[in-house]
């Protein structure tokens, strides 16, 4: 099947975002292209039905953003993504199926440099809502600085691998580390968790903006790379040294009056669920000055209110530096609020956390 493309890819009018659509489904190529072309300021310059064709079209048309299906013949999306990041880096939005395998591949794509992902519609009745999400995420991806996608995932030496990971109850002298992230977060979390010492006297709680169905794969990936035992939080869990609890996608994670985890599907806060501020503000009454908070890459202001409470309670707040953020939104908001004790590039965040824990 030949690719469908615009004739000779004319220059985008008025600085429009130039997009390459890659999908093995003719229906999806047509649908995505149609909705993107109807959106103001976006122009689909070409489409391809597999990764091999996509690489050739990227070289020819130099799109600003690529939408990339995960599952394709000849060259799948992950293989194509690796090639794009190695030879022609640019923002990529993945199209994923909501299956166990699809979630695993999507998380892997995000750690390889994809900016974001959209879950494919389960039926044609869901297409309109999904296409709105594609348009929004293409616009956001176009604002990402390409150089930040290419930074190595791990620069600091990783923790020594452990055959057995141990956890224990918190003592009064132990710290609780909270990490919040959004766009670009899975790759950033991989860097931070891989860099944390396994013998750190601290519990870890993580909120990554992500829908239901994907955080289990993220937890499994982080668990395999980290000295910590990483898993999705369950009702009744309490922070423990050696354990990292990840908020399940689609649920707010809060800690009750006895510091036990609770999950709910209350309305999104600042448009997201799980929300960083929801979890962080529930931790402050329990741990006050023992909290060490790191706000990583992401859009918007989630995390600022919670970080302000941590700062006021005597805890430490770390914000990722602009130079390494895929999107410098949440850390910028924290820094501009004047509550960041440390501003550090991503490769130095794990060491900054360790210093704060041991101070």
């Amino acid at each position: 099947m030949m690719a469908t493309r615009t004739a000779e890819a004319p220059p985008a009018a008025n600085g429009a975002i130039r997009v390459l659509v890659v999908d093995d489904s003719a229906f999806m190529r047509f649908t995505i292209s149609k909705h993107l072309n109807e959106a103001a300021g976006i122009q689909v310059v070409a489409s391809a039905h597999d990764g091999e064709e996509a690489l050739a079209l990227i070289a020819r048309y130099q799109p600003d953003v690529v939408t990339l299906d995960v599952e394709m013949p000849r060259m799948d999306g992950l293989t194509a993504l690796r090639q794009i990041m190695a030879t022609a880096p640019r923002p990529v939005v993945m199209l994923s199926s909501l299956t166990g395998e699809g979630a695993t591949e999507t998380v892997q794509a995000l750690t390889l440099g994809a900016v974001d992902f959209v879950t494919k519609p389960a039926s044609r009745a869901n297409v309109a809502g999904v296409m709105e999400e594609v348009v929004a995420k293409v616009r956001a991806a176009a604002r990402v600085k390409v150089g930040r996608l290419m930074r190595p995932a791990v620069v600091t030496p990783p923790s020594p691998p452990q055959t057995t990971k141990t956890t224990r109850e918190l003592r009064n002298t132990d710290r609780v580390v909270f990490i919040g992230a959004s766009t670009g977060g899975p790759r950033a979390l991989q860097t931070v968790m891989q860099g944390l010492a396994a013998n750190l006297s601290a519990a870890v709680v993580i909120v990554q903006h992500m829908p239901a169905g994907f955080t289990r794969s993220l937890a499994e990936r982080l668990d395999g790379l980290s000295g910590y035992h990483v898993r999705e939080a369950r009702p009744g869990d309490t922070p423990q040294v050696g354990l990292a609890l990840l908020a399940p996608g689609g649920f707010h994670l809060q800690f009750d009056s006895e510091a036990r985890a609770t999950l709910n599907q209350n309305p999104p806060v600042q448009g997201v669920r799980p929300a960083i501020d929801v979890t962080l503000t529930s931790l402050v009454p329990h741990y006050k000055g023992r909290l060490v908070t790191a706000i990583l890459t992401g859009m918007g202001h989630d995390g600022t209110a919670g970080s302000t409470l941590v700062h006021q309670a005597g805890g430490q707040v770390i914000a990722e530096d602009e130079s390494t953020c895929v999107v410098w939104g949440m850390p910028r908001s924290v820094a501009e609020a004047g509550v960041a004790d440390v501003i550090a590039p991503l490769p130095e965040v794990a060491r900054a956390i360790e210093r704060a824990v041991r101070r």
Side-chain angles (χ1 to χ4, degrees), residues 12 48 77 185 243 289 320 335:
L243 174 66
E320 184 181 348

Side-chain angles (χ1 to χ4, degrees), residues 296 318-324 342-349 352 355:
L296 308 179
I318 300 160
E320 184 181 348
D321 187 72
E322 179 184 8
S323 64
T324 56
V342 177
I343 298 175
L346 182 60
E348 297 176 18
V349 169
R355 286 194 296 270

Side-chain angles (χ1 to χ4, degrees), residues 106-171:
T106 298
V107 168
Q108 187 176 355
L110 294 172
T111 63
L112 290 171
V115 172
D116 212 331
F117 74 98
V118 175
T119 306
K120 281 189 169 183
S123 69
R124 296 197 178 190
N126 306 122
V127 166
V130 172
M131 289 305 110
E132 289 181 10
E133 187 179 359
V134 171
V135 170
K137 291 190 173 180
V138 163
R139 292 191 197 282
R143 297 195 294 269
V144 171
K145 294 186 178 180
V146 173
R148 296 177 191 171
L149 301 175
M150 295 308 299
R151 295 184 181 275
V154 177
V155 176
T156 52
S159 303
Q162 290 185 323
T163 54
T164 303
K165 298 180 182 183
T166 59
T167 63
R168 63 167 173 81
E169 298 297 319
L170 281 176
R171 299 169 183 155

Side-chain angles (χ1 to χ4, degrees), residues 169-228:
E169 298 297 319
L170 281 176
R171 299 169 183 155
N172 290 336
T173 55
D174 294 326
R175 305 291 183 122
V176 174
V177 173
F178 176 87
I179 307 172
S182 186
T183 308
R187 196 177 190 195
L189 287 170
Q190 178 174 302
T191 300
V192 174
M193 291 305 299
Q194 196 167 5
L196 284 182
N199 61 354
L200 197 63
S201 295
V204 176
V205 177
I206 303 169
V207 173
Q208 162 69 49
H209 294 164
M210 192 170 267
F214 292 88
T215 43
R216 177 175 294 182
S217 292
L218 176 60
E220 289 172 353
R221 183 170 183 86
L222 295 176
D223 183 71
L225 294 169
S226 169
Y228 271 72

Side-chain angles (χ1 to χ4, degrees), residues 4-7 9-10 12 18-20 37 43-47 61-63:
T4 303
R5 62 191 69 139
T6 56
R18 295 161 50 85
V19 182
L20 170 66
N37 280 327
Q43 178 185 347
V44 175
V45 296
S47 66
Y61 296 121
Q62 296 297 316

